[in-house]
Amino acid sequence: MVDQGPSMDAQCPSWAASLGYMGVAAAVCLSNTGSAMGTWKAGTSVINTGIRHPSSVMKNVIPIVMAGVIGIYGLIVGVIIGQSVSKPSNDRENSYSTYTGLAHLCAGLCCGVSGLAAGLCIGIVGDYGVRAVGYRASSVTLFPANSAEREGYSNIPDSDDAVGDDNVSGSDDQNKLFVGMLIMLIFSEALALYGMIVALIVSQHSYSCL
């Protein structure tokens, strides 16, 4: 007697669709959570810095924009997975297999957890980066006032009137801080992009019982 393997009911049970919809929920909810936390952390710093240096608000809004993009990644993956979950036929035969459901759940978790981690990273980097750029732009000194206590700190003038090739002007220092923050934000955003790419590839793996 030839073993024909598991039956259709074992490969495509009625609860298999719940795996796919769990993947949809994971992709959307976790990505939006990371986007919200990144916007919260960076947004409070932008408002705080805007009190002292209002002209830098529009430039420092970049972390908020990058955090918002993470939610779009989760939306894209969630829509693709949601459209791939097939409904049972009129004869109550389920074509959606556990293999497809687990693949969709994996895709949702890849995108959602990656988006959550990227959002937290963008929020923390944006928080400290925006504050640092704002402090430098408003000429707020973070160094001790006593000359003895200032020993060991970087001596960077607050104005652009410094003389000498070894001195760094305040505007140049501000630009360097901003560029460094921007590079860190780009690589933080790339984490969510990696998760979305893997999620799109894994979501294409499917097996139908019909």
Side-chain angles (χ1 to χ4, degrees), residues 92-165:
R92 296 183 178 180
E93 294 181 354
N94 188 20
S95 63
Y96 192 78
S97 64
T98 54
Y99 174 84
T100 307
L102 289 173
H104 289 167
L105 178 60
C106 175
L109 289 175
C110 285
C111 179
V113 176
S114 297
L116 178 62
L120 291 174
C121 188
I122 289 175
I124 295 174
V125 172
D127 183 11
Y128 288 95
V130 168
R131 291 178 188 270
V133 173
Y135 287 154
R136 193 58 191 162
S138 57
S139 300
V140 176
T141 178
L142 302 179
F143 303 138
N146 191 350
S147 59
E149 296 178 354
R150 288 177 59 93
E151 185 176 357
Y153 288 92
S154 176
N155 186 15
I156 301 176
D158 291 332
S159 64
D160 296 337
D161 299 333
V163 180
D165 296 336

Side-chain angles (χ1 to χ4, degrees), residues 159-172:
S159 64
D160 296 337
D161 299 333
V163 180
D165 296 336
D166 295 335
N167 292 328
V168 181
S169 66
S171 60
D172 290 340

Side-chain angles (χ1 to χ4, degrees), residues 42-61 64 127 130-135 137-138:
T44 53
S45 298
V46 170
I47 299 301
N48 187 18
T49 306
I51 298 175
R52 292 183 176 272
H53 193 66
S55 61
S56 65
V57 171
M58 296 307 299
K59 181 172 68 173
N60 290 331
V61 81
I64 300 176
D127 183 11
V130 168
R131 291 178 188 270
V133 173
Y135 287 154
S138 57

